[in-house]
Amino acid sequence: MTTPSAGGPVRVFVSYSHQDERLMKRLSTHLAGLKKQGVIETWYDRRIVASDDWSEEIDERLADAQIVLCLVSPDFLASEYCYEREMHTALEGHDRGTKRVVPVIIRPTDWERSPLGRLQAVPRDARPVTTWPNRDQAWIDVAKSLRQLAESLPASKAGRRSATKATARASKRP
C-alpha cells in the first residue's frame, strides 16, 4: 500500500459523472472537516485549469491517489470515461495494493454486478444517498467511513501523531 509521504493528508481522487456534479459538491461539503483536519486532500476534474492537458492531468492524479471514490450512479456506469478509464485504472491499483477504491452509491442503479460489486460500498448497506430520508445522514456515514479508511493507512496515523506532537510542543514554547 502506498502511504502518504511524511504523514501528510491522504490523497483522494473523486471519480464521478458530470451529471452527478451537484451530488459531488454535497459530498465535498461533508468532507470539509476531514480536509481542514489534514486527514485527506481531494481532487476532481473541475480543478483542471485552462490550457492543461486534461487527460494527462486526470491520469497523473489518479495514479497518485491513495483512495479513489467512485460516485456510482446510472450515469457513472454509462460513462465510457468513468467506467472504462477511471474505474478500471483505479481497480488495477486496488488489486496491486497501491490504492483503495470505495464505491459511493449516490443514486439507485444495478451496480452490484459491475467490477465494483466485489468491494464494500458506502453509505451503510450500500443504500443510495438519494434514497435516504435525510441525505446529510448518508453523507455523514460516507465521511466517517472515509475517515476510518484514511486513518487506517499506516503512515497517515504516524504523520498525524507527529504533527499533533509538533503542534503541542510549539504551543508550550514561551
Side-chain angles (χ1 to χ4, degrees):
M1 175 64 62
T2 304
T3 55
S5 59
V10 173
R11 294 175 306 280
V12 177
F13 181 98
V14 181
S15 177
Y16 70 102
S17 164
H18 287 172
Q19 298 297 315
D20 297 314
E21 188 164 8
R22 185 178 50 81
L23 291 166
M24 187 278 301
K25 287 180 179 180
R26 291 302 305 149
L27 170 63
S28 185
T29 298
H30 280 275
L31 298 181
L34 296 176
K35 293 181 221 174
K36 289 178 181 180
Q37 294 160 20
V39 176
I40 64 169
E41 62 183 23
T42 59
W43 191 89
Y44 53 93
D45 67 348
R46 293 297 191 202
R47 296 207 170 152
I48 299 171
V49 298
S51 86
D52 279 356
D53 180 326
W54 62 269
S55 182
E56 185 177 296
E57 183 72 13
I58 290 171
D59 290 347
E60 286 175 13
R61 295 297 184 143
L62 186 53
D64 188 50
Q66 295 161 275
I67 297 174
V68 178
L69 301 180
C70 292
L71 305 192
V72 181
S73 71
D75 291 302
F76 178 89
L77 295 177
S79 167
E80 286 296 314
Y81 199 88
C82 291
Y83 192 91
E84 296 298 333
R85 185 123 179 220
E86 293 178 353
M87 183 186 72
H88 281 287
T89 300
L91 287 171
E92 287 170 4
H94 184 91
D95 292 341
R96 285 192 314 270
T98 58
K99 59 183 82 275
R100 303 291 295 272
V101 177
V102 180
V104 180
I105 314 305
I106 59 173
R107 292 193 291 133
T109 191
D110 184 18
W111 68 277
E112 293 90 345
R113 292 184 186 239
S114 78
L116 292 170
R118 64 188 169 97
L119 302 177
Q120 181 64 41
V122 295
R124 187 175 355 136
D125 300 325
R127 183 176 176 188
V129 169
T130 58
T131 68
W132 287 55
N134 181 337
R135 289 184 186 178
D136 286 332
Q137 289 294 334
W139 291 125
I140 289 167
D141 188 77
V142 171
K144 286 180 177 181
S145 295
L146 182 56
R147 175 188 297 277
Q148 183 179 23
L149 175 57
E151 290 179 345
S152 76
L153 299 178
S156 64
K157 290 180 186 176
R160 273 189 291 289
R161 277 197 302 268
S162 297
T164 302
K165 288 179 184 176
T167 302
R169 281 194 302 272
S171 67
K172 290 180 183 178
R173 292 186 185 140

